[in-house]
Amino acid sequence: MQENMQWQDLISDKRLGLEDYKETKNSVRSDFQRDYDRLIFSSPFRRLQNKTQVFPLPGSIFVHNRLTHSLEVAGVGRSIANEVMLQLLPRYASEPWAHRLHNIGEIVSAACLAHDLGNPPFGHSGEKAIGTYFSEGEGLQLKPLLTPEQWNDLIHFEGNANSFRLLTHQFKGRRKGGFAMTYSLLASIVKYPYSSAHANDKGKFGFFTSEHDIYTKIANELGILKKSDDYYCRHPLVYMVEAADDICYQIMDIEDAHKLKIIDTPTTISLLTGFFDEERVEHMNHVMSEIDDRNEKVAYLRSCAIGTLVAECAKAFIDNEQQILAGKFQGSLIQHISAQPRKGYDACTELAYAKIYCANDVVDIELAGNQIITFLLNRLIEAVRFPERNYSKLLLSRVPSQYDVYADTLFGKIQAVIDHISGMTDVYALDLYRKLNGMSLPAV
């Protein structure tokens, strides 16, 4: 039995749906750069510009949306991966496959771009609204009509699992293999390598049961270790993608909250200098003394904090590489960084939960998003269940053809509805909600 995962297997340019096709090409772009470019030019990626990250969109003050967040995570992820690559190369210099390590920065940055593609509108409240529609709302009546596996997919709806589905599912009229991404890219976005059948109390899992066979195929090809029949170890690059996401949402939420005056400047400065020792803080205070603009001071501290966390997470990966390859590493990279930056990170987390995520504007968007998504699910699921009705025919004519609302099974129809709603932007969902409620009519 294989004891460790092997880098030469984990870094693979084989593409889902194109396994039997290998193009001989002379190009300056690697297959992993092609993944990145394919994502950048995709419609789901563009739609992220109008999906809520934390704070309501749009506003007089520009805050992060899903698009800007994903781009920043990609930049941070590439930095972590490139630092790791530089330290791994000497370890494996004599191996014939060592050149493959040069690709990990490309894989991680592309995975960072892709990790939020499946998130619905209205931030994390959108995820909760979909899941609770089935576990608590009117969707509960559908439970007797579905298998336990299908029901788990619905009540535990999860944005990251939906990203894996979006990238791999063959939507109606589309090509086999979905986005036809490389196996390594696809494995690198699966943070929890098990299906919804094993979702924990937080509802976290990596793929829906409908995509179980696809993930299994990828994992076996890459030599990802199994913990049991239904659980896999993480692909090692997942740890870097996760770290980049952790760094960006935590630090950038603090900066956004400062711009929106949810937290004041002294508090923000105290938080962001909390990552460093006294000597470094003294130097940073000197730099800030030459800056008058409060937002620029915070931007400077934010860059310092991110730079430190990048170096710390890269070091944590290198120090624990063999444990990671053996599938025995516990926790996230952030949990294994040095005491001072970890203290600073924990302080940011504590304040975010105490003052940011419960701020009135944030809660208001959650309330509105829940109402809108619940309403759309109600109307669309009723339409796919009873397509012969006049109203259903009108409503389903508005659904893009790639979503198979006339699927052979009830579960397939419900999945088509969820695929459609999760792909909506905040503005589109709100506009459709208003139109279906008669609050917005075309000009006459």
Side-chain angles (χ1 to χ4, degrees):
M1 189 179 206
Q2 182 178 313
E3 293 183 0
N4 283 5
M5 292 178 275
Q6 306 295 320
W7 285 114
Q8 66 265 38
D9 299 325
L10 292 164
I11 302 173
S12 170
D13 60 5
K14 182 174 284 190
R15 292 191 176 277
L16 186 68
L18 299 175
E19 287 86 354
D20 298 327
Y21 175 76
K22 185 66 178 177
E23 180 185 4
T24 302
K25 52 186 177 289
N26 295 315
S27 175
V28 295
R29 290 191 303 158
S30 71
D31 279 291
F32 308 113
Q33 287 175 309
R34 289 171 185 268
D35 282 345
Y36 187 96
D37 294 345
R38 191 169 294 179
L39 289 164
I40 284 283
F41 285 95
S42 71
S43 295
F45 186 75
R46 287 195 299 273
R47 288 197 292 267
L48 293 179
Q49 70 183 303
N50 198 246
K51 287 192 176 186
T52 297
Q53 177 67 17
V54 173
F55 300 102
L57 303 172
S60 58
I61 298 175
F62 187 81
V63 293
H64 286 81
N65 54 43
R66 289 282 183 191
L67 181 71
T68 53
H69 169 73
S70 296
L71 289 168
E72 289 171 350
V73 174
V76 171
R78 183 188 294 110
S79 295
I80 295 172
N82 284 341
E83 182 64 32
V84 168
M85 178 265 294
L86 289 175
Q87 297 185 56
L88 286 181
L89 281 173
R91 289 186 183 181
Y92 298 105
S94 61
E95 300 290 347
W97 47 263
H99 63 282
R100 295 191 188 185
L101 295 171
H102 289 281
N103 296 124
I104 65 175
E106 298 167 349
I107 300 170
V108 169
S109 59
C112 290
L113 282 187
H115 82 285
D116 269 354
L117 277 188
N119 278 277
F122 307 111
H124 292 296
S125 64
E127 289 179 281
K128 294 176 187 174
I130 293 174
T132 55
Y133 172 79
F134 295 100
S135 63
E136 301 174 7
E138 293 192 36
L140 189 57
Q141 64 182 301
L142 300 171
K143 185 176 181 179
L145 307 177
L146 301 167
T147 68
E149 292 77 18
Q150 293 169 343
W151 188 245
N152 275 324
D153 277 358
L154 299 179
I155 63 173
H156 296 302
F157 178 85
E158 214 276 330
N160 290 133
N162 201 45
S163 297
F164 188 78
R165 173 175 170 80
L166 178 63
L167 291 173
T168 61
H169 180 67
Q170 184 178 5
F171 288 95
K172 191 177 178 183
R174 303 299 176 89
R175 67 179 173 182
K176 182 181 178 182
F179 275 54
M181 297 305 229
T182 61
Y183 279 29
S184 292
L185 177 281
L186 292 171
S188 296
I189 67 168
V190 181
K191 193 172 173 181
Y192 305 99
Y194 46 86
S195 75
S196 63
H198 304 285
N200 58 30
D201 293 338
K202 294 182 179 179
K204 296 297 185 182
F205 59 96
F207 46 87
F208 299 117
T209 53
S210 54
E211 279 71 58
H212 178 275
D213 290 347
I214 294 175
Y215 182 78
T216 299
K217 176 182 179 180
I218 292 169
N220 291 340
E221 172 70 24
L222 298 179
I224 296 176
L225 295 176
K226 264 189 176 183
K227 289 184 176 180
S228 69
D229 288 342
D230 295 317
Y231 290 82
Y232 281 86
C233 298
R234 285 178 168 186
H235 189 292
L237 300 187
V238 171
Y239 288 100
M240 300 185 213
V241 176
E242 177 186 46
D245 190 31
D246 288 346
I247 291 168
C248 287
Y249 79 70
Q250 202 62 268
I251 303 301
M252 302 316 299
D253 285 354
I254 296 294
E255 185 174 18
D256 280 350
H258 173 256
K259 286 183 179 179
L260 293 169
K261 299 183 180 179
I262 293 173
I263 53 178
D264 59 37
T265 301
T267 300
T268 306
I269 290 175
S270 176
L271 279 172
L272 295 179
T273 53
F275 288 85
F276 309 98
D277 59 30
E278 290 184 8
E279 184 178 350
R280 180 74 186 275
V281 171
E282 185 178 347
H283 170 74
M284 295 163 80
N285 285 333
H286 174 72
V287 172
M288 284 192 292
S289 69
E290 299 177 353
I291 303 172
D292 293 327
D293 186 280
R294 67 184 186 91
N295 287 328
E296 191 62 24
K297 289 182 180 183
V298 170
Y300 162 68
L301 295 178
R302 175 256 298 155
S303 68
C304 293
I306 290 177
T308 292
L309 290 171
V310 164
E312 286 283 338
C313 287
K315 182 178 184 300
F317 187 96
I318 289 295
D319 290 347
N320 295 279
E321 184 214 1
Q322 291 306 306
Q323 288 286 97
I324 290 171
L325 290 174
K328 297 177 180 178
F329 184 71
Q330 298 295 317
S332 65
L333 294 181
I334 287 285
Q335 292 171 319
H336 291 262
I337 63 177
S338 303
Q340 186 66 49
R342 178 63 196 274
K343 181 180 177 183
Y345 184 88
D346 289 344
C348 288
T349 301
E350 185 178 338
L351 181 133
Y353 279 100
K355 290 192 175 181
I356 297 176
Y357 304 141
C358 61
N360 287 341
D361 285 348
V362 176
V363 174
D364 286 347
I365 199 70
E366 289 187 0
L367 290 169
N370 191 291
Q371 176 74 12
I372 292 167
I373 287 178
T374 298
F375 174 84
L376 294 178
L377 282 168
N378 244 341
R379 289 296 179 90
L380 284 163
I381 288 177
E382 182 180 10
V384 297
R385 290 186 70 199
F386 307 104
E388 71 281 356
R389 295 176 180 174
N390 182 58
Y391 182 84
S392 298
K393 292 176 183 177
L394 290 171
L395 182 54
L396 294 179
S397 70
R398 291 286 310 271
V399 178
S401 61
Q402 72 192 69
Y403 304 118
D404 191 6
V405 292
Y406 298 103
D408 295 334
T409 65
L410 174 61
F411 183 61
K413 292 174 182 178
I414 295 172
Q415 278 192 308
V417 169
I418 294 174
D419 289 336
H420 179 35
I421 291 176
S422 64
M424 293 178 182
T425 63
D426 292 18
V427 169
Y428 183 92
L430 175 59
D431 182 57
L432 184 59
Y433 171 81
R434 285 172 171 165
K435 286 177 178 174
L436 296 183
N437 273 299
M439 293 187 291
S440 175
L441 294 172
V444 293

